[in-house]
Amino acid sequence: MKLDHIGIAVKNLDEAVKFYRDVLKLELEGIEEVPEEKVRIAMFKVGDVHIELLEALSPDSAIAKFIEKKGEGIHHIALGVDNVDEVVKELKSKNVQLTYDEAKLVSKGTRKINFIHPKMTGGVLLEVVERLVKHE
Amino acid sequence: MKLDHIGIAVKNLDEAVKFYRDVLKLELEGIEEVPEEKVRIAMFKVGDVHIELLEALSPDSAIAKFIEKKGEGIHHIALGVDNVDEVVKELKSKNVQLTYDEAKLVSKGTRKINFIHPKMTGGVLLEVVERLVKHE
């Protein structure tokens, strides 16, 4: 298990990108829309891990609701695993509460994910992610 | 620049350690008190980065105030740099607001740190840290 990325909910993606790219000089890997999650994301590479900035595409996206409730900030952290189905099975056997009953394919089938409920983790929305296609 | 650690504010360190160590099976590196920050911390290794759980030692610690205001959850993320004084100088030249005018030595002189104000970063308290002694 390793850290895959940190997801940060922002109000204005372009403004945030300017800070992370131009001031901190992190390497911008790309900006894309993820319609199934109703977000636009910018992915940065920081050593072996990624920082993902997320902007809501509509008021009913999870990111818009998060910002409305808590303000901008870290929305989730993601642990990369080799086999998310196995991890989900094991977590369930330990009565860990998950968002989806089974891991869900996202990003055009390139990632399979689930989330552990924050009440188990010290308030952190913890994603487990298996990358089915290696990130370029 | 690389990700050094993610700091998570928790109410009960021992309970949180059980989840991260026994359920997620992350490698616990150690538990220690950091009196100058009024916290007790547990450090986990996740690949090349660390997850730091922080419990307040007194009601006036930053962690206690954070939990009172926002609840448990991610308190900061830390970017590791080779020379924190140089980074601080450059950030200041770009009018980035920092917590300390000069980077501060902590943890018995093993780390030199500063923090970037969340209003610059999309709501994230961003630490910059130089490790003066390599983590075991």
Side-chain angles (χ1 to χ4, degrees), chain A residues 79-94:
Chain A
L79 296 171
V81 298
D82 292 330
N83 186 325
V84 73
D85 292 323
E86 266 182 26
V87 171
V88 163
K89 194 175 159 190
E90 190 179 340
L91 291 172
K92 278 185 182 174
S93 78
K94 290 176 174 165

Side-chain angles (χ1 to χ4, degrees), chain A residues 17-32:
Chain A
V17 162
K18 276 183 203 165
F19 180 78
Y20 284 84
R21 182 190 59 199
D22 302 337
V23 177
L24 290 183
K25 293 180 187 156
L26 299 186
E27 181 190 338
L28 177 61
E29 298 176 291
I31 295 180
E32 62 167 322

Side-chain angles (χ1 to χ4, degrees), chain A residues 40-112:
Chain A
R40 193 161 71 102
I41 65 172
M43 197 68 96
F44 291 86
K45 193 165 158 50
V46 194
D48 287 337
V49 304
H50 308 270
I51 287 180
E52 178 187 49
L53 304 179
L54 305 109
E55 178 191 66
L57 287 176
S58 88
D60 65 336
S61 88
I63 294 303
K65 288 176 192 164
F66 177 86
I67 290 176
E68 197 183 333
K69 197 169 157 190
K70 301 200 166 187
E72 294 184 301
I74 296 171
H75 175 258
H76 66 273
I77 62 180
L79 296 171
V81 298
D82 292 330
N83 186 325
V84 73
D85 292 323
E86 266 182 26
V87 171
V88 163
K89 194 175 159 190
E90 190 179 340
L91 291 172
K92 278 185 182 174
S93 78
K94 290 176 174 165
N95 296 315
V96 172
Q97 191 177 325
L98 301 163
T99 299
Y100 307 122
D101 194 47
E102 298 198 347
K104 177 184 174 185
L105 274 174
V106 294
S107 281
K108 296 167 191 154
T110 58
R111 292 185 290 158
K112 205 168 178 184

Side-chain angles (χ1 to χ4, degrees), chain B residues 7-135:
Chain B
I8 300 170
V10 302
K11 286 180 185 168
N12 184 321
L13 192 71
D14 297 326
E15 280 301 311
V17 163
K18 276 184 204 164
F19 179 79
Y20 283 84
R21 183 190 58 200
D22 303 336
V23 178
L24 290 183
K25 294 179 185 155
L26 299 187
E27 181 190 339
L28 177 61
E29 297 176 292
I31 295 179
E32 62 168 321
E33 291 199 2
V34 185
E36 62 266 51
E37 310 266 351
K38 295 175 187 164
V39 289
R40 194 162 70 102
I41 65 173
M43 197 68 96
F44 291 86
K45 193 166 157 50
V46 193
D48 288 337
V49 302
H50 309 272
I51 286 180
E52 179 187 49
L53 304 180
L54 304 110
E55 178 191 65
L57 286 176
S58 88
D60 65 336
S61 87
I63 294 303
K65 288 176 192 163
F66 177 86
I67 290 175
E68 197 183 333
K69 197 169 157 190
K70 301 199 166 189
E72 294 185 302
I74 296 171
H75 175 258
H76 66 273
I77 62 180
L79 297 171
V81 298
D82 292 330
N83 185 326
V84 74
D85 292 323
E86 266 182 26
V87 170
V88 163
K89 195 175 158 190
E90 189 179 341
L91 291 172
K92 278 184 181 174
S93 77
K94 290 176 174 164
N95 296 315
V96 172
Q97 192 177 327
L98 301 162
T99 298
Y100 307 122
D101 193 48
E102 298 199 347
K104 177 184 174 185
L105 274 173
V106 294
S107 280
K108 296 166 190 154
T110 59
R111 291 185 290 158
K112 205 169 179 183
I113 64 173
N114 210 333
F115 293 94
I116 299 173
H117 194 283
K119 77 177 176 191
M120 315 288 302
T121 62
V124 178
L125 181 61
L126 206 58
E127 177 182 340
V128 283
V129 54
E130 176 183 346
R131 290 190 183 267
L132 302 169
V133 176
K134 290 286 171 200
H135 208 86

